[in-house]
Amino acid sequence: MSDKRKAAIAMSGAEFKSAGHQLIDKISIFLDTIEQKSVTTGESPRELQKLLQSIPFPVNGKPAEPLLLDAANRLFDHSLFNGHPKFHGYITSAPAPIGALADLLAAVVNANVGAQILSPMATEIEKQTLSWIAQFIGLPPGYGGIMVSGGNLANFTGFMAGITAKAPKSIKEDGISADGGRLLIYCSTATHTWIDKASVLFGLGKKSVRWIKTDTKGRMDIALLEQTISDDLNNGSKPIMIIGTAGDVSTGVVDDMKSLAIICRRYHLWFHIDGAYGICAAVVPSLNEMFEGIEEADSIALDPHKWLYSPLEAGCTLVKDPNHLMETYSSHPVYYNFDSHDDDVTHNFYEYGFQNSRGFRALKVWLALQQAGSSGYIQMIEEDIRLSRLLFRLANDHPELEALTQNLSITTLRFVPVEFQQTDDSNANTGLYGEALNALNKELLNELQHNGEVFLSNAIVGEKYCLRSCIVNFRTSEKDIFEIIEIIVRTGRKLSRKTSGIENTTH
Ligand SMILES: Cc1ncc(COP(=O)(O)O)c(C=O)c1O
């Protein structure tokens, strides 16, 4: 009788080692040569589907090693690499290599970090990670929280805790009701789309969101905010929460947190901060003033997979009084025997958020924080900001580029062909000029996103369609910034020559 079962999915230590070594060899070469690759191949979904068509539905199994090496080849030859030094699109960081190894280790242990008894060490590591992140951005002791998949979920988690805390009736017993006035949430027009989803998902409805206009600096207009709250109170509605943004998704603006905190205190509102992208910059000494007031937040969303350079997925919610998470998410079904420790420090993460079974996301963040240290992170974040400012300066100095905004590590700019500058229309943003310039820059972005030399995204600043570079990338260097300027101008000239019809329509 054999004492070991031979399962189709099992691997012996020797098989694992051989496949693993070969895979790691390939990964190491990829990491050392990533900058020589294109950021993306620009292949269409149809072309990629064709590449998979030759793989039949798997009825009979195959050895693991060639499968893994084949998957690695497919991915290294046909992917977009956000670890490439010229990937500056959206807000996805270059992933820390230690995070990749951490994910491997986490998958092998496969801790279910829903309950402490199922993940004894992993639970403690997640708790320590959260308290380090809070300390890292300068929060006072006491904040706790939970790791989640990313910014949307991090914001949802804090948002729901705030509603539970501030709703006049028990959400758990009575649900969200508009009896006694609609519950209202206040945020700036620059707030990320998660708030739209949250208002619908959690039953408030989109009419519950008061979008407050931004001031000339792009920050939530404080006077308008206070006036709106006061009008709403007079009309019998129930303001319950203000959402400040620390680094807005388009242009990186940080709201005036100090003033938002004061208004929250004055009107007894929950203060939530969406710091998914930008709040990590609070670690930079020269930016401390910009982030004053974050220490008053009731809840904060922060994404390690943005500016802590963690591989996807890693977001987290930090809450000043973590009991609010328990009050929102905890339940005790009879089939859980999770409180068996006498110890009152047993911590079951399923009681602090949406998930039940949970992976060990904290490990990659915990290890990266130790590898770089807060001093290493300060240097990396400072350098991203310096390079973003350099990009802005170079664009500003270039006769065919218009630099529009620069905040944190986000710069927006657009290509303005010479023929547009020779017009006697002093405002080349209006009418046909404006439309043509917007169309040209949109086409330019599409071209750049497909040709693989650099990957940018877009923003709308005023009425202007522009290119947007967000640097959360520890591989980007000064050389990349100079080259990006050259690539934009070269591609812009090529497109504007091709569409010289613009000239005819605008003159
Ligand atoms: C300010 C802000 N909040 C929330 C999100 C959503 O984060 P995720 O894509 O990780 O869900 C983003 C994404 O870029 C963001 O910039």
Side-chain angles (χ1 to χ4, degrees):
M1 191 166 53
S2 160
D3 60 349
K4 272 210 176 170
R5 180 172 156 186
K6 185 93 186 92
I9 207 90
M11 287 170 84
S12 68
E15 282 172 315
F16 192 88
K17 197 166 161 180
S18 168
H21 279 176
Q22 294 214 45
L23 183 63
I24 295 285
D25 283 350
K26 269 189 181 297
I27 293 172
S28 312
I29 293 168
F30 166 72
L31 290 177
D32 275 349
T33 56
I34 187 168
E35 74 284 351
Q36 294 162 24
K37 292 179 143 325
S38 290
V39 186
T40 178
T41 61
E43 292 158 292
S44 71
R46 269 185 228 289
E47 287 171 303
L48 293 171
Q49 284 158 20
K50 272 199 197 129
L51 293 176
L52 297 182
Q53 270 165 9
S54 59
I55 306 176
F57 175 78
V59 177
N60 297 313
K62 289 184 176 168
E65 187 171 309
L67 284 174
L68 277 165
L69 299 181
D70 176 67
N73 286 339
R74 284 175 195 277
L75 287 166
F76 290 148
D77 290 346
H78 303 283
S79 290
L80 174 143
F81 302 116
N82 40 40
H84 190 288
K86 289 196 183 70
F87 177 84
H88 293 182
Y90 304 103
I91 315 183
T92 312
S93 61
I98 196 169
L101 292 170
D103 268 352
L104 172 64
L105 178 58
V108 170
V109 177
N110 202 28
N112 183 340
V113 200
Q116 180 134 28
I117 197 167
L118 301 176
S119 55
M121 182 47 110
T123 292
E124 292 306 325
I125 288 177
E126 180 160 340
K127 280 164 60 186
Q128 187 168 52
T129 307
L130 290 160
S131 89
W132 280 351
I133 293 174
Q135 190 177 343
F136 176 77
I137 59 167
L139 297 176
Y143 275 81
I146 187 161
M147 302 288 307
V148 296
S149 58
N152 267 29
L153 262 291
N155 281 303
F156 292 171
T157 306
F159 181 79
M160 202 53 215
I163 294 172
T164 310
K166 293 293 181 183
K169 287 188 176 176
S170 161
I171 295 275
K172 278 187 159 173
E173 295 305 320
D174 302 308
I176 292 171
S177 79
D179 295 0
R182 184 181 272 280
L183 307 184
L184 293 176
I185 316 292
Y186 300 80
C187 62
S188 94
T189 47
T191 308
H192 185 272
T193 170
W194 71 264
I195 183 64
D196 261 336
K197 282 194 189 173
S199 67
V200 174
L201 284 174
F202 304 125
L204 291 163
K206 288 190 180 185
K207 286 184 185 162
S208 289
V209 180
R210 288 276 191 263
W211 297 94
I212 307 296
K213 287 210 175 93
T214 49
D215 61 18
T216 49
K217 291 181 177 160
R219 308 193 299 182
M220 191 173 349
D221 184 323
I222 298 295
L224 189 57
L225 167 69
E226 194 153 14
Q227 185 59 53
T228 312
I229 293 173
S230 152
D231 291 349
D232 286 335
L233 282 168
N234 290 338
N235 292 333
S237 296
K238 290 247 172 310
I240 55 169
M241 184 184 308
I242 295 177
I243 297 164
T245 299
D248 87 78
V249 60
S250 274
T251 59
V253 171
V254 178
D255 278 332
D256 174 356
M257 298 300 171
K258 236 158 110 182
S259 299
L260 296 184
I262 291 169
I263 297 178
C264 282
R265 255 185 280 133
R266 188 173 298 149
Y267 294 94
H268 309 288
L269 309 180
W270 184 270
F271 183 22
H272 175 77
I273 297 179
D274 177 3
Y277 153 55
I279 208 162
C280 290
V283 73
V284 174
S286 61
L287 298 182
N288 284 165
E289 210 183 315
M290 181 187 283
F291 291 92
E292 267 177 31
I294 63 169
E295 68 289 350
E296 298 212 33
D298 294 298
S299 55
I300 296 176
L302 175 159
D303 275 356
H305 71 204
K306 293 189 169 67
W307 226 345
L308 293 183
Y309 313 101
S310 168
L312 293 162
E313 301 168 343
C316 79
T317 309
L318 299 169
V319 178
K320 194 185 251 328
D321 176 359
N323 284 321
H324 285 297
L325 292 178
M326 288 278 266
E327 280 155 19
T328 309
Y329 301 105
S330 177
S331 64
H332 292 103
V334 289
Y335 45 82
Y336 280 175
N337 183 36
F338 287 163
D339 300 319
S340 52
H341 281 283
D342 294 338
D343 200 341
D344 62 3
V345 296
T346 297
H347 194 96
N348 295 320
F349 271 110
Y350 85 91
E351 297 185 85
Y352 288 78
F354 290 99
Q355 280 182 277
N356 205 52
S357 294
R358 303 176 63 248
F360 190 11
R361 294 193 179 94
L363 185 62
K364 55 191 166 195
V365 183
W366 187 71
L367 285 170
L369 283 170
Q370 292 178 78
Q371 189 200 357
S374 61
S375 59
Y377 270 103
I378 291 172
Q379 278 173 11
M380 291 188 286
I381 292 172
E382 274 178 341
E383 183 64 359
D384 285 347
I385 294 171
R386 188 184 74 80
L387 292 173
S388 181
R389 289 177 181 165
L390 173 64
L391 182 67
F392 182 88
R393 226 179 38 245
L394 293 178
N396 206 31
D397 291 347
H398 198 290
E400 288 161 278
L401 295 175
E402 180 183 357
L404 288 153
T405 63
Q406 203 298 310
N407 297 290
L408 298 181
S409 65
I410 297 182
T411 287
T412 60
L413 64 143
R414 66 177 184 165
F415 179 70
V416 184
V418 180
E419 56 268 28
F420 279 75
Q421 297 159 25
Q422 287 162 352
T423 167
D424 46 11
D425 179 350
S426 60
N427 187 357
N429 303 309
T430 52
L432 285 173
Y433 283 111
E435 280 171 33
L437 259 187
N438 282 352
L440 175 64
N441 278 279
K442 190 169 184 176
E443 203 186 343
L444 173 56
L445 181 71
N446 284 336
E447 173 74 15
L448 294 174
Q449 286 195 338
H450 285 94
N451 82 9
E453 284 188 276
V454 57
F455 196 97
L456 305 173
S457 49
N458 72 295
I460 308 291
V461 176
E463 308 263 290
K464 300 177 185 178
Y465 187 99
C466 45
L467 311 178
R468 168 185 171 283
S469 148
C470 174
I471 308 179
V472 282
N473 194 326
F474 60 87
R475 288 202 182 87
T476 304
S477 66
E478 256 188 29
K479 181 169 164 280
D480 294 303
I481 301 298
F482 282 95
E483 287 173 359
I484 286 170
I485 291 282
E486 187 275 320
I487 294 166
I488 294 173
V489 172
R490 169 169 37 87
T491 314
R493 282 181 191 155
K494 188 182 83 184
L495 287 179
S496 71
R497 271 198 306 272
K498 209 174 83 193
T499 50
S500 54
I502 292 168
E503 248 183 306
N504 303 332
T505 54
T506 53
H507 279 278

